[in-house]
Amino acid sequence: MTTTSTNPVSVSVQPAVAGAAAAGAALSAVGGAIQAVRSDDGNPLVGTSEHVLLALIAVALVLWIPGYLALGRLTGTRTGRIGAWLAVIGSGLLAAGMTSTNLHDQDYSWFPVVAAPANLLWLAGSILLAVATWRTGVLPRPAAAALVLVWLSSIILSQLGGNLIAGAVWAFLAWTLLAASRRPTP
């Protein structure tokens, strides 16, 4: 994929984007803490703690959307923008699916059909965005690599409290976005 670079500093970030990312980080961390201490009963029906978890994580996913888009713009690359949009579409679809499960008290039969491509989109977008932020220096290299860790910890490690990790990563990203919002634009 070709990248065309512009000066990342010339892109402005609204402080509200950092605020949304920080709020999403907090919700993810609370969800992760709940996941870390509760046991999964294997029941397909959604229980009380699962309703809370689904709501927390779905809202966190939605609150991260402006952050993904801002990071994609900050890279100034086509790869970064495409990665951001793929992550947004994937996480948005997952948030919608989680919300439907929450309202229905169990997964709809169509949920796996949506969840699989949504996860692939979110993962692929995270990888592309990580590569773009790594190459352009928009994020410190460990933070760029951690973009993929958000998906991994939110999905693969979720039952072990992985959203604590995702929340920590997004807290740092929120701080980075806030710093970007305070930079003067030429």
Side-chain angles (χ1 to χ4, degrees):
M1 188 170 291
T2 306
T3 59
T4 56
S5 182
T6 62
N7 182 359
V9 177
S10 67
V11 177
S12 66
V13 175
Q14 298 297 319
V17 171
L27 293 176
S28 180
V30 170
I34 292 169
Q35 289 168 319
V37 298
R38 73 181 272 285
S39 62
D40 184 19
D41 61 7
N43 188 345
L45 294 177
V46 177
T48 304
S49 67
E50 290 168 307
H51 278 294
V52 172
L53 280 170
L54 287 169
L56 289 170
I57 304 308
V59 173
L61 287 170
V62 170
L63 288 170
W64 293 339
I65 287 174
Y68 278 124
L69 293 173
L71 288 170
R73 283 191 315 274
L74 284 171
T75 68
T77 67
R78 183 172 177 222
T79 301
R81 288 187 301 273
I82 290 171
W85 275 105
L86 291 175
V88 162
I89 293 166
S91 59
L93 284 170
L94 284 174
M98 294 167 94
T99 301
S100 70
T101 295
N102 211 0
L103 296 173
H104 184 62
D105 287 335
Q106 62 185 347
D107 288 342
Y108 281 99
S109 59
W110 52 262
F111 182 77
V113 175
V114 171
N119 273 299
L120 288 174
L121 288 168
W122 186 17
L123 176 58
S126 296
I127 292 168
L128 289 174
L129 191 56
V131 167
T133 56
W134 178 290
R135 288 181 178 168
T136 60
V138 166
L139 294 173
R141 287 188 165 185
L147 282 167
V148 179
L149 188 60
V150 170
W151 178 86
L152 178 71
S153 61
S154 295
I155 302 302
I156 304 300
L157 302 175
S158 66
Q159 295 302 313
L160 301 173
N163 279 294
L164 277 165
I165 298 167
V169 170
W170 269 102
F172 180 80
L173 294 174
W175 177 78
T176 302
L177 290 168
L178 182 61
S181 76
R182 293 183 174 167
R183 272 185 268 175
T185 55

